[in-house]
Amino acid sequence: MKLFASVVLGIVIALFVGVGINLFYPEPSYPTELMTFSNSEPTDAEAEASNLAYMEFEKVRQLHSGIVGVISIALAVLVMAGSMFLAKKYDVVSQGLLVGGLLLICYGATQAISSGNVMTAFISIGIGLAALIFLILKRFRTVNGETVHS
């Protein structure tokens, strides 16, 4: 039952953060110029305008995806850091935060990769990884072969 509660909590946390990001930083609207033509077959000028509108939309969408990816990964690290500090007293909540952080990392990595800028994805995931390793090393130390929880 504890595992189920942790997984459900993690899913709800990831959904909450994802919807929150979309609420405060909405995705760009698909251009209407791509769908409105004077005839069933577009003229060359309409096709050119449609193509330019799509290319501009794609640039904005890729920028948006990159920013959402970085924000999601940063929030995932914060959620997982919070999990580490709650591990002693609230194990179910702590595990739920870990699951939520894992789902946010997956979401953020997917968004960062879909931005078309693999370097952004690589750097943001790398920084997230370094932060998590630091937090884990700080939280779980080994003294004389025994794991000590800080």
Side-chain angles (χ1 to χ4, degrees), residues 22-78:
N22 195 38
L23 174 67
F24 294 107
Y25 186 56
E27 58 188 89
S29 302
Y30 197 74
T32 56
E33 296 89 12
L34 297 177
M35 298 175 273
T36 54
F37 300 118
S38 57
N39 296 321
S40 61
E41 196 62 37
T43 64
D44 288 344
E46 289 174 332
E48 180 69 25
S50 176
N51 191 32
L52 288 174
Y54 176 75
M55 289 171 55
E56 186 61 34
F57 166 75
E58 190 59 23
K59 285 180 192 174
V60 172
R61 187 205 60 78
Q62 287 180 346
L63 176 64
H64 177 270
S65 290
I67 292 170
V68 168
V70 170
I71 291 170
S72 298
I73 291 171
L75 289 174
V77 170
L78 291 176

Side-chain angles (χ1 to χ4, degrees), residues 13-27 61-80 100-113 115 120-128 131:
I13 287 169
L15 287 172
F16 180 76
V17 172
V19 170
I21 290 171
N22 195 38
L23 174 67
F24 294 107
Y25 186 56
E27 58 188 89
R61 187 205 60 78
Q62 287 180 346
L63 176 64
H64 177 270
S65 290
I67 292 170
V68 168
V70 170
I71 291 170
S72 298
I73 291 171
L75 289 174
V77 170
L78 291 176
V79 166
M80 293 175 122
L102 175 65
L103 293 173
L104 282 173
I105 285 177
C106 293
Y107 173 68
T110 303
Q111 286 290 318
I113 290 168
S115 74
T120 299
F122 180 76
I123 290 171
S124 59
I125 293 169
I127 290 171

Side-chain angles (χ1 to χ4, degrees), residues 83-97:
S83 165
M84 304 229 182
F85 294 108
L86 294 174
K88 285 183 184 177
K89 290 186 178 182
Y90 307 104
D91 62 334
V92 174
V93 173
S94 175
Q95 291 168 2
L97 289 172

